[in-house]
Amino acid sequence: MDSYYHAHDLGKFAEMGKGNKELWDKFMSYYSAVFAEGALTEREKALIALAVAHAVQCPYCIDAYTQASLEKGSNVEEMTEAVHVACAIRGGASLVHGVQMRNVAEKLSM
């Protein structure tokens, strides 16, 4: 079965710069600065990126930051825990939006 996502497409990411090199260069400059060692280590940033990749459900990011996390010294146990953190936050965010549902239901029931 065909899919919208193909692993080899991750390698084509830089092609996005062809449409507007100036914006691409600005994005890449920012992106590089974000992932540089700072208050957080590169390893910690890769784990955060891996968790966020799962929260936003980007298969390309999941592939890239699984590899980056391993290259920066994380292990599968740490990576799995990061994914569970993303899951807990995403699940909690869905549940807390239930308050909005309850507020509207209460208002409409009056």
Side-chain angles (χ1 to χ4, degrees):
M1 182 162 113
D2 202 20
S3 169
Y4 287 108
Y5 299 108
H6 302 283
H8 65 271
D9 285 343
L10 179 57
K12 298 178 182 178
F13 184 47
E15 292 179 18
M16 293 306 299
K18 292 179 180 177
N20 188 320
K21 185 171 177 357
E22 180 183 356
L23 289 177
W24 175 257
D25 290 343
K26 288 179 181 184
F27 172 78
M28 290 308 295
S29 177
Y30 171 76
Y31 187 88
S32 296
V34 166
F35 283 95
E37 192 92 11
L40 297 172
T41 66
E42 290 182 10
R43 180 184 159 282
E44 291 166 330
K45 290 179 180 189
L47 282 171
I48 292 167
L50 180 63
V52 171
H54 281 80
V56 300
Q57 299 176 325
C58 175
Y60 302 112
C61 299
I62 292 169
D63 288 358
Y65 288 102
T66 295
Q67 181 176 340
S69 292
L70 289 170
E71 288 173 354
K72 304 288 182 199
S74 294
N75 59 45
V76 173
E77 183 179 9
E78 293 167 328
M79 293 160 56
T80 301
E81 194 167 316
V83 171
H84 279 280
V85 170
C87 177
I89 296 300
R90 187 161 184 159
S94 294
L95 283 174
V96 78
H97 277 82
V99 172
Q100 179 69 19
M101 174 273 300
R102 294 178 63 84
N103 289 341
V104 171
E106 184 178 310
K107 181 178 177 183
L108 294 175
S109 297
M110 293 180 150

